[in-house]
Amino acid sequence: MNDNIYKPYLMEIENIVEETPDVRTFRLRFKNPDEAEKFSFRAGQFGEYSVFGEGESTFCVASSPTRKGYIECTFRKTGRVTNALAHLETGDTIGFRGPYGNTFPIEEWEGKNLLYIAGGIALPPMRCVIWNTIDLRDKYKDITIVYGARTVADLVYKQELKEWEERPDIRLITTVDPGGQTPDWKGETGFVPMVLEKISPSSLNTVAILCGPPVMIKFTLPVLKKLGFQDKDIYTTLENRMKCGFGKCGRCNVGKVFVCKDGPVFNYEQILTLPKSINFTRLMINIPKSDKKRIIIAGCGFAGLTLAKKLRNKGFQVVILDKHNYHQFPPLFYQVASAGLEESSILFPLRKIFQNYKDFHIRKVEIKSVNSVSSQLITSAGTLNTITLFLHMGPQIHISGHLICRNTRGE
Amino acid sequence: MKTIAEVLDLRNSLLMNFENAMIARDKEEQELLLTVVIIGGGPSGVEIAGALAEMNKYVLPKDYPEFKEIRQKYIS
């Protein structure tokens, strides 16, 4: 640790790996060799990476503390700083301060089986502890890694996944969401919780380390419970909640806990004591049960709106799902863009439209997937049993293949 | 509330809180999302309190018929 916790180290970008079109890994070396000598960190800790003139961003150190002399970090282009980072090249200098936060209790895990479960961009915060335990392979029993991403292209660390796959002392299961596979994909196809249920790892003497998007965690926890995992044996890292790094700015506190100082690593027993806002099982879709047949309209654009209006007083329970709580009129987008109209002229609040419709329920949620076998619809706020489902998802914008395409935020 | 940006932010978070209250897990959380604290009782504070009360009486019952039980509660 630097003598002055506020002072960043100067780091030179030694190597850049393009993991996916928007995810990159940097290998950083200390400009000052004395600092490299003094620097040490432990698995699970994080740092602040700064681009001069742009700001700083927080993510976990992705390389293992057993590999000395450099640190690695992996990030996805999402905001101002990560975009600026993405434009840097080998040889450029950035700032790094840290390490901050607590660590994975890898000593306590000695002699146990380790089960790593990661989804999408959540593998980087776990890569550090994965390599740390692999480098100390004798101290641990079975190591199983379950890693899922949306598509084959979204899998990060492809080189290392291959390496892990080839090692006889590691069991690696990779999976992609249905539809995300390529013709030569050899891994599993399906969501992480389902794949986990299929392989059913034993919970005996096993610690599970879980990290991923909230919806994955939400559906994976019940599977782990079913397999017999205790709350205290399930670990996660709440990386996304951090800001300044040492609990001064107040953005990371959840109840009494400062994620930067007391975290980011928590076991699920600790998480259950936190206020609900961080509890992964927070949302409920809350549609009242009814004897009427239920019709779900997913997406309330032109088609959804017309259908919903025609269903008035037809004796159905109608559930309207949309990621916005308004209907919009895209043909006039150009007017708003050119300041001819205010946005209120082309947006129509759904609740206003359906004010006098009986047994119409509007929920602002996103659709995650459709299970046609059990006729269930999985949304960002929970699962709905459907009778009839109408999907009006609209077209996808297709811009791939064009080199210079940027949105208005410069991404 | 000092700039247009802040005002729009406030409006958006207010409306989003209502939407999130519809998909809240339990009553306690719903109540949390539907509670508004106004700090400062100057002209703006008084006006917004009045506007919210009006909204509570005339708009919310129509837009969110599901909120029946929790409405009409003032903490002072």
Side-chain angles (χ1 to χ4, degrees), chain A residues 236-249:
Chain A
T236 191
T237 162
L238 300 176
E239 203 202 15
N240 54 345
R241 303 201 56 106
M242 299 182 300
K243 186 77 185 169
C244 79
F246 28 65
K248 299 275 187 250
C249 76

Side-chain angles (χ1 to χ4, degrees), chain A residues 145-376:
Chain A
I145 303 167
V146 181
Y147 176 46
R150 272 191 14 244
T151 67
V152 176
D154 287 320
L155 292 165
V156 294
Y157 304 136
K158 293 199 177 58
Q159 203 55 44
E160 286 167 79
L161 291 176
K162 214 169 144 199
E163 193 180 325
W164 291 342
E165 194 163 18
E166 281 162 5
R167 280 181 71 141
D169 55 351
I170 298 167
R171 186 172 176 214
L172 172 76
I173 295 118
T174 44
T175 178
V176 293
D177 291 357
Q181 69 271 42
T182 52
D184 56 346
W185 173 242
K186 290 197 186 62
E188 300 277 340
T189 307
F191 299 108
V192 169
M194 288 148 205
V195 171
L196 191 66
E197 205 160 9
K198 197 170 119 194
I199 60 168
S200 292
S202 160
S203 60
L204 208 68
N205 193 27
T206 305
V207 180
I209 303 98
L210 175 64
C211 201
V215 68
M216 180 199 110
I217 292 185
K218 184 178 162 181
F219 289 106
T220 306
L221 278 172
V223 177
L224 288 175
K225 287 281 173 65
K226 213 160 91 186
L227 293 169
F229 283 90
Q230 305 282 316
D231 288 337
K232 65 173 175 47
D233 291 328
I234 304 174
Y235 288 83
T236 191
T237 162
L238 300 176
E239 203 202 15
N240 54 345
R241 303 201 56 106
M242 299 182 300
K243 186 77 185 169
C244 79
F246 28 65
K248 299 275 187 250
C249 76
R251 303 227 186 150
C252 70
N253 70 312
V254 185
K256 277 187 280 182
V257 171
F258 286 88
V259 176
C260 282
K261 269 196 327 194
D262 307 315
V265 177
F266 294 95
N267 65 33
Y268 199 62
E269 196 176 56
Q270 294 165 322
I271 286 184
L272 285 176
T273 65
L274 299 178
K276 287 197 189 96
S277 66
I278 203 160
N279 244 321
F280 296 119
T281 47
R282 181 171 75 110
L283 300 170
M284 292 271 283
I285 190 117
N286 293 339
I287 304 288
K289 283 219 168 73
S290 158
D291 297 333
K292 294 182 198 163
K293 275 195 174 167
R294 174 181 288 170
I295 292 186
I296 298 182
I297 301 175
C300 202
F302 292 132
L305 184 69
T306 313
L307 175 66
K309 286 195 152 181
K310 295 226 157 142
L311 286 173
R312 186 182 194 179
N313 296 332
K314 292 276 164 30
F316 297 108
Q317 181 189 46
V318 179
V319 179
I320 299 168
L321 308 177
D322 200 297
K323 66 176 169 183
H324 304 297
N325 61 353
Y326 49 81
H327 167 78
Q328 58 191 18
F329 191 77
L332 284 180
F333 274 1
Y334 80 97
Q335 283 280 347
V336 178
S338 54
L341 283 177
E342 292 303 313
E343 56 273 40
S344 58
S345 324
I346 61 156
L347 302 181
F348 307 93
L350 293 178
R351 295 193 184 278
K352 177 102 181 155
I353 300 172
F354 297 107
Q355 261 183 1
N356 298 315
Y357 287 54
K358 277 225 173 72
D359 218 0
F360 271 57
H361 305 274
I362 299 157
R363 294 291 179 273
K364 186 190 153 299
V365 293
E366 282 190 50
I367 315 289
K368 295 289 174 195
S369 68
V370 181
N371 187 339
S372 52
V373 183
S374 59
S375 74
Q376 281 179 327

